[in-house]
Amino acid sequence: MPLAGRAPVSGHARLLAMAVLAGIGAGVVAAMALAVDLGWGVVPFAGLLGAVAMYCGLQRGGERGSDEQRRLENGLTRMAASGVFTLPAGAAKDAAEPLARIEAVAAELRRLREVAEGVHGVEALFGAGLRLEWISPSIERLTGRLPAECLAAGDFVDFLVHDSDRRYCQRAMQKVLESGQGEDFEMRFLHEQGKVCWVACRWRPLHLEDGSVAGLRLSAEDIQGRKEAEYKLLETVAQLRRAQALSENYLMRSNDERLRLSALLNVIRLGTLFMDRDHRVLYYNRAMLDIWRLSPGENLIGLRDVVLESKVVGLLESPEAYFDHIRQIVARQEVSAPFEIHLKDGRVLTEVSAVVEDSGHGRRGIGRVWIYEDVTEQRSIARKLVAMAERDPLTNLYNRRRFHEELERLLADAERRHVKVGLLAIDLDGFKPINDAFGHQAGDEVLVTLAREVGGIIRRNELFFRLGGDEFGVLVPDADEDDLIELAHRIVEGIGALRFVFGGRPAGLTASLGIAFYPDHACDGEALIAAADEAMYRSKREGRNRWSVAAAVQGESARMSIQAPGPAPDASPVLQVGESREPPTGEQ
């Protein structure tokens, strides 16, 4: 409604208008930021101030014309239309209406100041020259700086922004100012105590009514807590990645070690079997399948021990004895002693078992390992080596070395049990002429035949030896004099009955024997050998082809029982037909 024609404004009204102006001036800058945020724009505020000033001037100087009144009224109308203030309900449409509008503006500005001072984030307004014009009081909470300090600083960016973010911040502000498009980014504010505070910034242009950019508005939110959480999360992720990399490295190395171990176990000829605590197969190598004659493609992983036993039971000579042995081993925790397993095919296996220890499970461990080895060849070689060391290679009789070992053993046993040991010393008569006349091959044949024939004469508990050349010996434990004399008689007859033909010529030989008893004729091994040799040489001197008993160790005159010689050996060749019969070759 035009002001013309109305009564002049009273002095009281003028004073009221000037007081309202003073309040408006104090809060207008703070209200501008929120007004812009609410979409009111900067122009309505400028209009408001102009209208108030115009009105007050009109009141001081009286009415100066209807144009100024209309301008004031139009400014207040535009402000009301833009939502800067709301006229109180029931306000009279009279001369006091402009004052009511001004009072409404003042009330609205007070509310905006209260809101601005209570904002948690930082709000700031910058002019077209990027100079700070207003900043919310919340800047003090964030940086320890008062708004006045920030306004007094020459350059907001240099004053508050971390030096690492300054250039980027300046470029972003200039970009918003030139393009009119907002920018969002994160940067760091500097606290007066040297600390750093991360903020999320939203830079927006401030537009005039004609659309031109009048400045910038900054809205900054404190994100320090989020950044610290991010840093902790990043550190946690980094630690997890390091742990994962370390775990992968350990896993790779463990896999490499497993492959190397598997290659090693597959190369060696020891059968290896790992069982877990539930008696199930965890691992086995190729040698395990070969030793137990299992199919190369058979999969044993996961099988229980009872299933394995059923697969090998047909190979064992004594299955029950072996399975009892296994149960005894499993019941103990220590490493088992080597155990021999005899198979039906003649092979011999050895077995050793031990608990696979794990500190986390005590002595029970995580399972058990079984090692098998086929020692058939080794046992055969050992027997051959023993035979080479103890037996004569030509006749396969025990040799002189074994003779002395058995003699000492039998003498010790006889002394403990108070029994006798008999020794027969045998020396061939006529062997050297056969060897000289027909060669060593003929001599070897004689020795082999004699060993076989005499070996068939002696009894199971009597030991037959070739002591060297054409010398032989027989050891008889628990000897009885009559039995030993009977044995000597049969040996003399058996050797004398042997017939040979070499080169179409017949040959034969006899033997002289000496008999000695422990302890009757000697008290130790060497003396017993000497006594038997002395008796044997007596037989040779007395005509050969006979036996003699050694004299007793007492100081009696020589007591020698001499057996008369038997009938002359038959000179007829055996199983030979051809040349004329000749008597045996000369005697040694």
Side-chain angles (χ1 to χ4, degrees):
M1 179 181 296
L3 294 178
R6 293 179 180 242
V9 180
S10 65
H12 177 74
R14 280 197 299 272
L15 291 176
L16 177 60
M18 293 178 68
V20 171
L21 269 179
I24 292 172
V28 66
V29 177
M32 284 176 66
L34 294 181
V36 172
D37 191 31
L38 295 173
W40 296 348
V42 178
V43 174
F45 277 99
L48 172 63
L49 295 178
V52 173
M54 183 185 298
Y55 179 76
C56 293
L58 290 173
Q59 294 302 317
R60 284 196 306 271
E63 295 186 14
R64 297 181 180 175
S66 59
D67 292 337
E68 287 80 358
Q69 293 176 5
R70 282 193 298 273
R71 287 165 56 194
L72 173 60
E73 188 174 61
N74 291 337
L76 293 173
T77 300
R78 287 195 304 271
M79 293 173 64
S82 64
V84 172
F85 66 91
T86 302
L87 196 65
K93 303 293 185 177
D94 54 15
E97 183 178 353
L99 292 178
R101 292 182 178 183
I102 292 173
E103 290 174 353
V105 171
E108 194 72 27
L109 289 177
R110 283 194 298 274
R111 286 192 292 271
L112 291 176
R113 174 185 287 275
E114 292 174 358
V115 171
E117 291 179 351
V119 171
H120 183 75
V122 175
E123 298 289 336
L125 297 176
F126 296 83
L130 300 181
R131 182 175 179 82
L132 181 64
E133 295 182 350
W134 179 84
I135 191 166
S136 62
S138 55
I139 191 65
E140 182 179 3
R141 177 190 59 79
L142 202 60
T143 66
R145 305 287 188 178
L146 295 173
E149 294 180 77
C150 300
L151 293 171
D155 189 327
F156 171 82
V157 175
D158 290 339
F159 184 63
L160 282 183
V161 179
H162 191 274
D163 54 0
S164 299
D165 302 331
R166 286 173 187 167
R167 293 184 62 185
Y168 182 82
C169 180
Q170 290 169 345
R171 288 196 300 269
M173 292 171 68
Q174 191 64 38
K175 181 179 178 181
V176 174
L177 191 64
E178 294 173 355
S179 66
Q181 301 295 324
E183 289 282 339
D184 296 340
F185 57 89
E186 296 176 355
M187 65 179 185
R188 287 162 286 185
F189 279 166
L190 286 174
H191 195 278
E192 66 171 352
Q193 297 178 355
K195 297 184 296 183
V196 172
C197 178
W198 278 92
V199 291
C201 298
R202 300 179 67 235
W203 294 88
R204 297 293 181 268
L206 297 176
H207 295 281
L208 297 175
E209 287 185 350
D210 59 2
S212 61
V213 178
L216 300 179
R217 174 196 168 190
L218 166 65
S219 296
E221 180 185 355
D222 182 3
I223 60 170
Q224 182 64 28
R226 191 190 78 189
K227 279 293 183 181
E228 291 177 355
E230 287 179 358
Y231 288 147
K232 291 181 180 178
L233 180 60
L234 289 175
E235 180 61 27
T236 302
V237 170
Q239 291 178 355
L240 289 175
R241 286 178 177 172
R242 288 193 295 268
Q244 181 182 7
L246 189 62
S247 176
E248 290 176 353
N249 181 54
Y250 287 154
L251 180 61
M252 181 177 66
R253 292 173 58 184
S254 175
N255 187 57
D256 292 345
E257 289 297 329
R258 183 184 64 81
L259 293 176
R260 282 191 285 268
L261 178 61
S262 179
L264 172 64
L265 293 177
N266 281 327
V267 168
I268 64 177
R269 299 307 303 163
L270 296 176
T272 305
L273 175 68
F274 286 96
M275 306 287 288
D276 63 15
R277 287 182 295 171
D278 296 325
H279 306 286
R280 293 185 182 273
V281 177
L282 284 177
Y283 173 84
Y284 60 92
N285 64 350
R286 285 196 293 265
M288 165 71 186
L289 300 176
D290 295 340
I291 288 174
W292 287 103
R293 296 295 190 261
L294 298 174
S295 172
E298 188 160 2
N299 184 11
L300 305 180
I301 300 299
L303 294 184
R304 293 187 62 86
D305 52 357
V306 292
V307 179
L308 284 180
E309 291 175 2
S310 67
K311 289 180 176 292
V312 301
V313 64
L315 299 174
L316 301 169
E317 278 190 357
S318 303
E320 291 301 324
Y322 177 59
F323 295 149
D324 287 342
H325 157 75
I326 290 179
R327 285 187 283 272
Q328 294 173 8
I329 292 300
V330 172
R332 298 194 294 265
Q333 296 296 319
E334 63 272 11
V335 178
S336 67
F339 180 81
E340 282 197 358
I341 308 168
H342 294 271
L343 305 182
K344 291 179 179 179
D345 59 6
R347 291 183 300 129
V348 180
L349 310 180
T350 58
E351 170 207 274
V352 176
S353 179
V355 172
V356 181
E357 296 183 355
D358 179 11
S359 58
H361 296 84
R363 293 194 61 194
R364 183 184 178 191
I366 60 174
R368 182 175 284 273
V369 59
W370 301 82
I371 304 297
Y372 302 97
E373 184 179 8
D374 188 340
V375 296
T376 306
E377 185 176 356
Q378 291 92 312
R379 292 290 185 272
S380 176
I381 293 173
R383 286 193 296 270
K384 290 179 180 179
L385 291 175
V386 170
M388 290 173 62
E390 297 183 342
R391 290 188 178 270
D392 173 54
L394 177 64
T395 62
N396 200 37
L397 298 176
Y398 288 127
N399 58 17
R400 181 179 292 273
R401 176 176 175 272
R402 180 64 181 269
F403 169 78
H404 286 285
E405 291 178 356
E406 292 296 330
L407 177 60
E408 294 299 324
R409 182 181 67 82
L410 292 177
L411 292 182
D413 182 66
E415 182 179 6
R416 183 173 61 256
R417 296 169 52 218
H418 305 289
V419 294
K420 293 183 179 183
V421 175
L423 171 60
L424 283 176
I426 304 172
D427 189 81
L428 300 181
D429 306 323
F431 176 74
K432 188 175 183 304
I434 293 177
N435 210 32
D436 294 341
F438 302 108
H440 292 291
Q441 244 181 344
D444 291 345
E445 182 180 342
V446 169
L447 294 176
V448 170
T449 303
L450 182 143
R452 183 179 65 249
E453 295 299 326
V454 176
I457 295 173
I458 66 173
R459 291 166 292 193
R460 184 180 298 275
N461 66 325
E462 298 166 347
L463 301 175
F464 190 22
F465 304 89
R466 183 188 179 193
L467 303 179
D470 59 349
E471 296 179 7
F472 296 86
V474 178
L475 280 175
V476 181
D478 297 336
D480 178 83
E481 186 170 350
D482 295 336
D483 291 340
L484 195 56
I485 291 174
E486 174 62 25
L487 175 62
H489 178 72
R490 286 188 282 113
I491 291 175
V492 168
E493 286 188 346
I495 295 175
L498 294 177
R499 294 293 179 267
F500 304 94
V501 174
F502 303 111
R505 297 169 56 191
L509 73 168
T510 60
S512 298
L513 276 66
I515 303 174
F517 292 94
Y518 169 87
D520 297 346
H521 304 129
C523 56
D524 58 49
E526 292 298 327
L528 186 63
I529 294 171
D533 284 345
E534 192 273 336
M536 181 266 295
Y537 285 119
R538 283 182 177 273
S539 296
K540 281 187 175 292
R541 288 195 300 269
E542 295 295 332
R544 304 175 182 177
N545 194 26
R546 66 187 62 222
W547 51 265
S548 301
V549 178
V553 293
Q554 290 84 358
E556 307 172 0
S557 58
R559 181 175 61 86
M560 186 75 79
S561 300
I562 302 176
Q563 172 67 32
D570 185 4
S572 302
V574 180
L575 298 178
Q576 295 288 332
V577 179
E579 299 179 6
S580 62
R581 292 178 296 172
E582 295 180 3
T585 58
E587 297 178 348
Q588 182 178 353

